[in-house]
């Protein structure tokens, strides 16, 4: 993937050092979200009908 | 793994899908992308106590909102070529794809056996209208949550 831009300033990075505070370890982390998205992308590609609708819809945008 | 790699991990497959369909790979600004997920985490933390009360649709709607709002993606126009027609919609499209792939993955891994949830499918025209509308109209995080929740009904 092509990327640009540098890291966030330390001030902003510090704000999320412990994003869920007292709920640490619970809820969804970025890593867990990424795993679900990977599973979702695989599942969509395996479902011919859904995949075709998504691709067709993407091509229709702005038409 | 760093936060940047975690954030990139979230958008890799949606970007891949966009590239596959349009033959052009979006460029992602890492700082803006990280900012998107800072705002997502703040929104979830602010809206739900405990945070595990936020279901997958809440996360999907909030992620879609912040990616659409902060616009971390852009397309590079090759010299001498016209911008492809889709270029104005790249952020809205990717915001939708991130959210949809997330709820689809959650359905596939956690909800398949629950009769209250259905495959989050949608017609092509619905996707096209939603993405186009997201560019020109106002959507709150909660309205996007409801839109994604309704896909599983």
């Amino acid at each position: 993937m092509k990327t640009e831009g540098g890291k966030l300033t330390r001030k902003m990075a510090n704000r999320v050092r412990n994003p869920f505070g007292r709920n640490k370890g619970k809820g969804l982390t970025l890593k867990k979200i990424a795993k679900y998205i990977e599973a979702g992308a695989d599942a969509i590609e395996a479902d011919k009908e859904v995949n075709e609708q998504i691709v067709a819809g993407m091509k229709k945008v702005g038409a | 793994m760093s936060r940047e790699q975690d954030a990139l991990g979230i958008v890799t497959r949606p970007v891949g899908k966009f590239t596959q369909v349009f033959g052009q790979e979006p460029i992602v600004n890492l700082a803006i992308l990280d900012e998107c997920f800072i705002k997502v985490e703040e929104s979830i933390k602010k809206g739900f106590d405990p945070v595990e009360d936020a279901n997958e649709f809440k996360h999907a709607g909030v992620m879609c909102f912040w990616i659409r709002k902060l616009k971390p993606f852009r397309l590079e126009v090759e010299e001498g070529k016209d911008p492809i027609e889709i270029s104005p919609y790249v952020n809205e499209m990717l915001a939708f794809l991130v959210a949809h792939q997330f709820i689809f993955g959650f359905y596939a891994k956690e909800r398949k056996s629950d009769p209250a949830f259905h495959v989050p499918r949608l017609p092509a025209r619905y996707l096209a209208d939603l993405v186009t509308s997201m560019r020109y109209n106002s959507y709150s995080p909660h309205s996007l949550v409801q839109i994604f929740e309704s896909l599983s009904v």
Side-chain angles (χ1 to χ4, degrees), chain B residues 98-147:
Chain B
V98 165
H100 185 251
Q101 287 184 6
F102 176 67
I103 62 172
F104 212 99
F106 208 98
Y107 170 82
K109 292 184 90 165
E110 314 285 350
R111 306 283 194 202
K112 239 178 178 171
S113 57
D114 189 338
F117 293 85
H118 297 274
V119 177
R121 52 166 52 98
L122 69 169
R125 61 163 180 77
Y126 183 95
L127 190 164
D129 284 350
L130 176 61
V131 170
T132 307
S133 177
M134 281 204 293
R135 178 164 177 79
Y136 298 109
N137 299 312
S138 302
Y139 282 84
S140 68
H142 291 289
S143 64
L144 288 167
V145 166
Q146 288 304 120
I147 286 169

Side-chain angles (χ1 to χ4, degrees), chain A:
Chain A
M1 198 184 332
K2 294 180 194 171
T3 63
E4 63 183 8
K7 296 183 181 213
L8 283 179
T9 62
R10 180 156 297 280
K11 184 180 174 186
M12 284 198 86
N14 282 342
R15 286 169 67 194
V16 290
R17 184 151 295 182
N18 195 9
F20 290 107
R22 58 194 160 91
N23 294 308
K24 191 176 177 183
K26 299 177 186 174
L28 289 171
T29 61
L30 296 186
K31 212 168 289 193
K32 287 181 191 173
I33 292 173
K35 284 200 185 323
Y36 281 117
I37 286 177
E38 196 169 335
D42 288 339
I44 288 168
E45 284 181 16
D47 188 326
K48 191 167 178 265
E49 186 192 339
V50 171
N51 194 43
E52 280 176 359
Q53 292 288 343
I54 295 290
V55 172
M58 287 170 72
K59 289 179 177 175
K60 275 173 78 76
V61 169

Side-chain angles (χ1 to χ4, degrees), chain B residues 1-149:
Chain B
M1 227 187 194
S2 66
R3 261 192 69 86
E4 280 135 357
Q5 286 174 307
D6 288 344
L8 279 176
I10 288 177
V11 301
T12 297
R13 294 299 294 270
V15 165
K17 190 70 178 176
F18 185 100
T19 307
Q20 180 191 31
V21 173
F22 296 109
Q24 195 167 2
E25 188 178 8
I27 298 167
V28 60
N29 184 302
L30 291 174
I32 298 176
L33 185 71
D34 201 354
E35 190 184 8
C36 287
F37 290 109
I38 287 174
K39 298 308 289 183
V40 167
E41 286 164 343
E42 282 180 356
S43 297
I44 295 290
K45 193 176 172 188
K46 189 176 165 187
F48 303 94
D49 183 13
V51 296
E52 55 264 34
D53 280 355
N55 63 21
E56 67 269 33
F57 306 107
K58 310 291 195 292
H59 280 86
V62 171
M63 285 196 291
C64 185
F65 175 83
W66 283 111
I67 292 173
R68 171 190 158 265
K69 188 166 183 76
L70 298 182
K71 302 189 192 304
F73 299 99
R74 68 178 182 88
L75 291 173
E76 189 139 50
V77 180
E78 289 176 24
E79 207 172 305
K81 289 194 176 179
D82 288 331
I84 60 170
E85 288 178 358
I86 204 64
S87 66
Y89 301 97
V90 61
N91 284 285
E92 290 77 13
M93 183 91 65
L94 283 162
F96 172 83
L97 288 174
V98 165
H100 185 251
Q101 287 184 6
F102 176 67
I103 62 172
F104 212 99
F106 208 98
Y107 170 82
K109 292 184 90 165
E110 314 285 350
R111 306 283 194 202
K112 239 178 178 171
S113 57
D114 189 338
F117 293 85
H118 297 274
V119 177
R121 52 166 52 98
L122 69 169
R125 61 163 180 77
Y126 183 95
L127 190 164
D129 284 350
L130 176 61
V131 170
T132 307
S133 177
M134 281 204 293
R135 178 164 177 79
Y136 298 109
N137 299 312
S138 302
Y139 282 84
S140 68
H142 291 289
S143 64
L144 288 167
V145 166
Q146 288 304 120
I147 286 169
F148 286 110
E149 187 129 24

